[in-house]
Amino acid sequence: MNRANQRRGALMFCVLACLLIVGSLVAWILRDALRARRETKIRVQLQQTERLLDAGILRAVKQQQKDPNYEGEQWKPKIEFGGRPVPANIDISVANEQLTVVASLGAQPHRTRKSHSFSLSPTP
């Protein structure tokens, strides 16, 4: 009976070792999947911030064309991201005929910001 117990013990040890290896692999795969998901979310948010910046640039140009004395504004469009409202802000400032647009999307610590400065040449 002693030999049978030794075989069962050795078999149990092999099974536990295999479970440990499989568990480690599953944990590694899950960690990698979560990291990839976070990176994708950040990448998508950066693209949305670029689109928000484009909208701010367009708004600045149109407002400057409508009113030559336009001094800028702070614009807070309502944006949903993944079905939830997300804080969005566009700051437009004009100084020495230089327009600066800063777009920010999200809340800390996941806030993304993009900016662009340009000047409009006078139209004849």
Side-chain angles (χ1 to χ4, degrees):
M1 190 90 149
N2 194 14
R3 212 152 149 83
N5 284 340
Q6 284 179 345
R7 284 187 184 162
R8 278 192 214 142
L11 182 61
M12 183 64 75
F13 179 77
C14 289
V15 168
L16 288 175
C18 288
L19 284 174
L20 182 66
I21 291 169
V22 168
S24 296
L25 286 173
V26 168
W28 180 72
I29 290 169
L30 284 174
R31 187 189 61 166
D32 194 44
L34 288 173
R35 183 186 51 78
R37 183 176 182 212
R38 272 193 304 271
E39 287 176 2
T40 301
K41 278 185 171 182
I42 291 169
R43 198 173 311 122
V44 168
Q45 186 170 333
L46 278 170
Q47 289 173 348
Q48 290 294 331
T49 305
E50 287 174 3
R51 290 182 183 131
L52 191 62
L53 179 65
D54 289 344
I57 292 169
L58 243 153
R59 184 176 177 103
V61 168
K62 287 189 179 204
Q63 295 292 73
Q64 182 74 28
Q65 288 172 347
K66 272 193 221 176
D67 179 11
N69 297 322
Y70 177 67
E71 294 180 6
E73 64 183 301
Q74 189 175 56
W75 180 32
K76 294 188 178 196
K78 295 185 190 287
I79 295 179
E80 285 191 5
F81 194 63
R84 287 185 248 149
V86 175
N89 191 37
I90 300 175
D91 290 315
I92 303 170
S93 60
V94 181
N96 301 328
E97 298 183 21
Q98 181 86 8
L99 284 100
T100 302
V101 181
V102 179
S104 62
L105 184 65
Q108 291 295 354
H110 305 290
R111 172 175 276 169
T112 50
R113 289 179 64 131
K114 293 273 186 177
S115 65
H116 183 69
S117 295
F118 60 99
S119 60
L120 293 175
S121 58
T123 53

